[in-house]
Amino acid sequence: MPPKFDPNAITYVFLRCVGGEEAGTSALAPKVGPLGLSAKKLAGDIAKKTTSFKGLRVTVKLTVQNRQAQVSVVPSAAALIIKALNEPQRDRKKVKHVKHDGDISLDALYNIAREMRERSMARDFSGTVREMLGTCVSVGCTVGGENPRDLIKKIQEGKHDCPEK
């Protein structure tokens, strides 16, 4: 016989889904079923919470307590950078291998770095900015009209200053 259900226990469930779309109930059911939650109802809640990241894959954190689930979006650095590019919506099923060749302002990059700061492994803020610039390299965009690799070199050499606030 399973142990008695503790109503005060808080359980965290993380899953990756496409923003603005209902998470697949077949993937969701094994994770939330044992917690006494309806996968179909939860999929609708996730779709509502992730509408700002429409078409992008984001991580969703479910906080479950007393059979009630709170949905919060935990976006990755790449998702935040692609969102900052303000690209037009695309159909995920039809359009594949999109080149993100836009440009992000330095202020937008600093805001993304501030948002990612607590999840960063860097010791200081300039290290977090360099992490975000590395993500810009992999996404394929430029920052302030410059190649992100050049900005990384300038920060490492001390020629570029990163404002903390």
Side-chain angles (χ1 to χ4, degrees), residues 18-110:
V18 178
E21 295 180 15
E22 288 207 0
T25 52
S26 59
L28 203 55
K31 293 180 180 176
V32 298
L35 301 172
L37 297 168
S38 165
K40 192 166 187 168
K41 181 180 162 291
L42 213 53
D45 293 345
I46 291 170
K48 284 183 201 136
K49 282 283 189 183
T50 58
T51 49
S52 63
F53 291 94
K54 195 164 178 64
L56 300 173
R57 286 187 59 84
V58 290
T59 305
V60 176
K61 178 183 177 182
L62 302 173
T63 308
V64 181
Q65 182 178 18
N66 200 12
R67 294 183 63 194
Q68 297 294 316
Q70 252 68 42
V71 180
S72 57
V73 181
V74 185
S76 64
L80 289 170
I81 287 169
I82 293 170
K83 184 180 174 186
L85 286 171
N86 293 326
E87 292 180 339
Q89 299 291 326
R90 63 182 179 94
D91 188 4
R92 193 172 61 91
K93 304 248 188 316
K94 294 177 185 160
V95 183
K96 303 281 186 198
H97 307 297
V98 177
K99 292 273 185 265
H100 305 285
D101 55 358
D103 186 60
I104 298 177
S105 69
L106 272 171
D107 291 332
L109 185 84
Y110 292 144

